[in-house]
Structures are given as C-alpha cells and as structure tokens.
Amino acid sequence: MEALEKHREHVIALFRIVVGLLFACHGAATLFDVLGGPHGAAPDVAEWPGWWAAVVQLVGGTLVLCGLVTRTAAVLCSGSMAYAYFVEHQPDGLFPIENGGESAAMFCWSFLLVAVVGPGRWSLASRLRPRRGTGGRPVTGPMSRDTPTSV
C-alpha cells in the first residue's frame, strides 16, 4: 500500500488529464464535427441545451485537462452531466444501463471526484502560481519533486 500512496498525486493528475481530454473531445465533436462528429443531430448555434452543453464540455474539459481553475471547472462539468442525466436520460429508465446515461453518470461522478481531490501534481495552475517560502517571499528555483500541488 505504501507504494500506491507514493504515486497518489501522479495518478490523480493522470485521472484528471484523461477525464478532461475525453470530455473536451465530446465538446469538439459536437461543435466542430470532428472525431466522428456529434452523437445524433448537431445542435444549432446557441441552441439549448445541446450547443451550450458542448461548449461546457469543450471549455470545461480543456480547463480540467490543463489544471487551470480545476475545481471550479470540475464542479461545472459535474453539474452539467447531472443535468444531462436527470433531464435527458433518467426519464427513459431508472438505471444508466437502461436509459443510455452511462457516460453522463461516469463523467458526473468523475468530475465530482476531481473537484474534491484537486488537480494533482501536474497542473498549469501550480506552475503559474509562485511558491512562497517561510517568510512569505516567492521561492526561486525549480520545484522539488515532492511538492504537493493539490492545495
């Protein structure tokens, strides 16, 4: 178990990166007809909720992927998938396997996890934010390998 705990921050970061990338790909597919195109009919510009959901997917997924305003973006993404599940899928059946809402449910809970645990080790926000020493002054030099960034 100690070996697993040693790599915790790396696994959290990889999880965030993969979930953000997959979510952003959904948005790009819907908005730009790439990566196999949208699932179903492409929404018109500013059409509720499809076009707006795709914008949240692309922008929110990209922010989570990069680790910028990660917790806020993850909460927004999680909420959008909760909306998608309960409004679009749940009326067709109680369980996700019945109503086609597996991806909405998985993204919802995955982003909620990212919002709670933070971005992990490799986030752009941790690289842009200056580190502070004990005296409150910025610390110069490269970050040490064991510096946690999920604060």
Side-chain angles (χ1 to χ4, degrees):
M1 284 304 185
E2 195 172 308
L4 292 175
E5 187 61 30
K6 179 179 173 184
H7 299 291
R8 180 178 186 269
E9 288 291 318
H10 295 99
V11 173
I12 289 170
L14 288 171
F15 180 79
R16 171 188 52 81
I17 289 166
V18 169
V19 170
L21 175 64
L22 292 174
F23 205 58
C25 286
H26 273 278
T30 301
L31 292 174
F32 306 118
D33 195 20
V34 296
L35 305 170
H39 298 277
D44 293 328
V45 173
E47 180 183 351
W48 179 260
W51 188 84
W52 293 101
V55 169
V56 168
Q57 290 168 358
L58 180 61
V59 174
T62 302
L63 288 171
V64 169
L65 165 69
C66 295
L68 292 170
V69 292
T70 307
R71 291 176 192 257
T72 303
V75 167
L76 178 66
C77 293
S78 179
S80 74
M81 289 295 95
Y83 175 89
Y85 182 77
F86 287 111
V87 172
E88 299 296 325
H89 296 285
Q90 209 276 324
D92 296 333
L94 178 61
F95 296 106
I97 197 72
E98 293 177 294
N99 61 33
E102 298 97 336
S103 62
M106 288 295 291
F107 275 125
C108 178
W109 287 102
S110 296
F111 281 116
L112 185 61
L113 179 65
V114 170
V116 170
V117 300
R121 184 172 294 263
W122 304 305
S123 69
L124 285 181
S126 68
R127 300 297 181 212
L128 299 174
R129 180 178 49 233
R131 293 183 303 135
R132 300 283 175 186
T134 55
R137 292 185 303 265
V139 176
T140 58
M143 292 181 72
S144 72
R145 293 181 146 276
D146 58 356
T147 302
T149 59
S150 61
V151 177

